[in-house]
Amino acid sequence: MSRRASGLRAWFLQRASAIYLLLFILYVLQHMVLDAPNDFAAWRGWVAQPLVGLGLLLFFASLLLHAWVGIRDVLIDYVHPTAIRVTILTLIGFALIGCALWVLQIIFLAS
Amino acid sequence: MKFSVYRYNPDTDDEPYMQGFEVELRQGMMLRDALLAIREQDESFTFRHSCGEGVCGSDGVNVNGSNKLACITPLTELKEPVVVRPFPGRPVVRDLVVDMSQFYTRYKQVDPWLIRKEPMPEREILQSPEERDKLDGLYECIMCGCCSTSCPSFWWNPDKFLGPQALLSACRFLADSRDQAGEERLDKLEGPYKLFRCHTIMNCVEACPKGLNPTKAIGHIKAIMLKDAI
């Protein structure tokens, strides 16, 4: 990836992920209003549907990506010493990857 | 009318302080007239000004928290006491006079002149009226610095983020049908800093005394980049 894309790519991904997050949240909200699962089995059944599972995976991928770009932006703005910035970015990177693995585990155990 | 004015003389003062003044209002008085009246009361009071009609862009100051050109700010629009400070985030030379060299360096970085690759023609390079219209809202900038010094992104990274003024100028040359260095201009804005520190806070739009819209210009540059990249 060229250096140019590191600005443009992050900016574009932030916006694209935001749109997906909004659409998926709207879908989940309407599902919760119209057809809310009322027990654990119903929840599992809902998540186990291939399309819902895929949608959820994309949702969390977008969420983590969106969080990564946003946190990176905040750090670039406010945290100037390189060592501190790299340390925080690394810790947050690991935390986000941990969240991603956790999400995968939950979704694949359900289906 | 009551004024509270920022005073600092690095030769004699340990710290900046605010000084109160009282100025008698006249019909049609602008803030610059009040600053001149204050200087009559205390001739050590220092501020920049020149044309007095919003053209030269010398007398940008921070008034009641917003950056404005003193010469075109009517006193009737301001709440008392009028608090006048130098531009935020800039090193103070004395009183309201700040060091704007970093701001000018950012401007130079966008090569603010026409670049032609073809040999220069014998006569003027013509533009259609539509091509000329694209420069409206971009060329009018007087470089007073009200926008860039009101931009939080410019406060945090004035050494790397170009700021609304320089980016408006970059857009002005990207939009010019006679310019032939569009690609190079876009390449120069690469990376997370120069352009992409803009978070659409839009203080620049509110501050611009000429009613220009740097945020829109920055959005326009991003759109060109995106079109270019995919």
Side-chain angles (χ1 to χ4, degrees):
Chain A
M1 223 9 117
S2 68
R3 283 188 70 204
R4 171 147 140 214
S6 69
L8 183 69
R9 185 177 56 177
W11 175 81
F12 178 75
L13 285 177
Q14 192 176 39
R15 267 134 197 91
S17 59
I19 293 170
Y20 183 76
L21 290 178
L22 177 72
L23 293 178
F24 193 77
I25 287 171
L26 288 177
Y27 160 71
V28 172
L29 280 179
Q30 71 86 28
H31 181 75
M32 289 303 140
V33 170
L34 300 179
D35 187 20
N38 44 20
D39 58 13
F40 183 62
W43 268 102
R44 273 188 85 139
W46 181 61
V47 174
Q49 293 171 43
L51 270 182
V52 176
L54 185 68
L56 266 176
L57 281 176
L58 277 175
F59 173 79
F60 283 104
S62 300
L63 185 69
L64 295 173
L65 198 66
H66 195 80
W68 170 253
V69 175
I71 292 168
R72 177 175 158 267
D73 266 345
V74 173
L75 291 177
I76 292 179
D77 280 347
Y78 296 107
V79 182
H80 289 200
T82 312
I84 303 177
R85 187 191 287 172
V86 170
T87 310
I88 300 178
L89 268 179
T90 311
L91 289 177
I92 286 171
F94 276 122
L96 292 179
I97 291 170
C99 288
L101 295 174
W102 192 19
V103 165
L104 282 178
Q105 189 196 17
I106 292 169
I107 291 178
F108 282 110
L109 281 184
S111 53
Chain B
M1 196 171 197
K2 283 193 171 61
F3 287 82
S4 174
V5 179
Y6 179 99
R7 301 299 307 269
Y8 180 58
N9 180 348
D11 294 333
T12 54
D13 302 329
D14 292 334
E15 282 200 350
Y17 59 97
M18 300 301 289
Q19 189 178 358
F21 288 96
E22 188 105 25
V23 173
E24 205 173 313
L25 276 187
R26 292 190 316 269
Q27 178 85 31
M29 212 176 177
M30 299 287 174
L31 178 62
R32 171 177 171 268
D33 302 312
L35 295 178
L36 286 167
I38 288 173
R39 193 162 65 186
E40 270 176 32
Q41 297 174 31
D42 179 349
E43 60 181 20
S44 71
F45 174 56
T46 311
F47 66 102
R48 286 195 185 110
H49 69 111
S50 180
C51 73
E53 49 190 28
V55 175
C56 72
S58 307
D59 61 353
V61 286
N62 186 274
V63 195
N64 291 346
S66 317
N67 291 349
K68 295 177 190 300
L69 278 187
C71 56
I72 53 171
T73 302
L75 287 177
T76 45
E77 281 178 8
L78 300 174
K79 264 197 200 150
E80 269 188 272
V82 182
V83 180
V84 187
R85 294 171 175 274
F87 276 157
R90 298 292 86 212
V92 174
V93 177
R94 181 169 163 165
D95 295 340
L96 301 182
V97 177
V98 291
D99 179 0
M100 294 294 280
S101 43
Q102 205 170 27
F103 169 80
Y104 298 128
T105 310
R106 298 289 86 82
Y107 176 62
K108 270 187 216 157
Q109 255 178 294
V110 304
D111 300 336
W113 54 81
L114 278 183
I115 298 173
R116 291 289 289 189
K117 291 180 181 163
E118 292 165 19
M120 280 293 175
E122 291 287 315
R123 42 173 292 185
E124 300 91 333
I125 308 162
L126 296 181
Q127 276 188 311
S128 69
E130 292 75 31
E131 287 168 339
R132 171 60 189 78
D133 285 347
K134 289 186 182 162
L135 304 182
D136 285 342
L138 299 171
Y139 80 93
E140 298 94 331
C141 174
I142 57 171
M143 294 185 63
C144 59
C146 286
C147 59
S148 290
T149 58
S150 69
C151 172
S153 290
F154 192 72
W155 296 340
W156 312 146
N157 289 294
D159 52 337
K160 294 186 187 131
F161 176 50
L162 294 181
Q165 192 281 325
L167 289 169
L168 184 91
S169 301
C171 188
R172 181 246 171 274
F173 287 97
L174 280 166
D176 196 315
S177 62
R178 299 163 298 179
D179 190 86
Q180 296 178 327
E183 277 299 310
E184 291 82 347
R185 290 182 189 282
L186 291 177
D187 284 343
K188 279 190 118 184
L189 297 174
E190 73 183 7
Y193 278 104
K194 288 176 187 152
L195 171 72
F196 286 98
R197 279 308 87 210
C198 169
H199 305 310
T200 336
I201 299 165
M202 293 180 82
N203 280 6
C204 52
V205 181
E206 205 165 314
C208 180
K210 306 301 277 186
L212 307 180
N213 191 332
T215 305
K216 195 174 149 200
I218 292 169
H220 188 62
I221 300 177
K222 285 173 180 167
I224 301 175
M225 273 191 173
L226 192 62
K227 217 171 128 189
D228 217 47
I230 55 176

